[in-house]
Amino acid sequence: VRGQLDETLRELRLKEEAVHFRNEVSERLESDITLAKSRWREAQDDADNLREELAEKEDLVQRLDGQCAMLSDRNAVLLADVAHLEALIDECRQTQEKNERETNFNVSIVEQSKAALSTEMELMQKEAADRIREIGRLKGQMADMEVFAERLRAELRAREDDYDKQL
């Protein structure tokens, strides 16, 4: 844009010199000079308009520079937040892995304990079954002994009766 302004300014200067030269050369060219002045005014208006546009664009560039700086600051904050979040995610991942290892260890201990308890329970069930059989056998023996004791008592009574009879 500045290049265009400089070029336009150069053109304006050349036109101004041409106007001065024409004034000096001849009054006959007054209609041409009037036309040149009119063009010069238009060019001056265009230059003024271009200057205003340039000022507006420079203002816009300054505002954009300010916004870029603000966005750059926000970007730095966001990058710091992302780094912090990545660190937290990594920490969570490590904690999760540790918890999984501990859980797996605890599960294996529980499974081992379950297996041991299951084996112990089977042994206790076998032992209980053995004891129940033993109790059954002993009850059978006790029943046999009671029958034998009853026979002995009966025999003893019979002998006492015989003894009493013999006396």
Side-chain angles (χ1 to χ4, degrees), residues 145-146 148-159:
M145 288 180 155
E146 285 177 6
F148 181 69
E150 194 54 44
R151 273 193 227 148
L152 286 177
R153 278 189 218 116
E155 192 178 312
L156 184 63
R157 274 184 249 143
R159 283 188 185 174

Side-chain angles (χ1 to χ4, degrees), residues 32-119:
D32 292 341
I33 291 172
T34 303
L35 180 63
K37 283 183 180 179
S38 170
R39 287 183 182 166
W40 183 76
R41 281 188 211 111
E42 287 175 8
Q44 212 172 22
D45 289 344
D46 288 345
D48 289 343
N49 290 338
L50 288 174
R51 280 188 198 99
E52 286 177 23
E53 277 185 48
L54 179 64
E56 288 172 3
K57 288 184 179 180
E58 285 176 346
D59 182 51
L60 179 62
V61 166
Q62 287 177 352
R63 284 188 311 204
L64 289 175
D65 282 344
Q67 287 179 350
C68 284
M70 183 179 69
L71 289 174
S72 178
D73 292 345
R74 284 184 183 171
N75 191 32
V77 168
L78 289 174
L79 287 174
D81 288 346
V82 166
H84 179 69
L85 289 174
E86 286 174 344
L88 288 175
I89 288 169
D90 188 48
E91 185 179 329
C92 288
R93 189 175 297 122
Q94 290 174 1
T95 301
Q96 181 182 4
E97 288 171 359
K98 178 185 166 209
N99 289 343
E100 285 176 0
R101 285 191 304 272
E102 288 176 359
T103 299
N104 290 339
F105 177 74
N106 290 339
V107 165
S108 79
I109 288 175
V110 166
E111 286 175 354
Q112 289 172 2
S113 297
K114 245 169 102 174
L117 284 174
S118 177
T119 303

Side-chain angles (χ1 to χ4, degrees), residues 122-139:
E122 286 175 14
L123 289 174
M124 289 173 80
Q125 285 174 345
K126 284 179 185 177
E127 189 176 315
D130 290 346
R131 286 187 181 176
I132 289 170
R133 281 191 295 276
E134 180 69 19
I135 289 170
R137 188 183 62 76
L138 289 174
K139 280 184 179 178

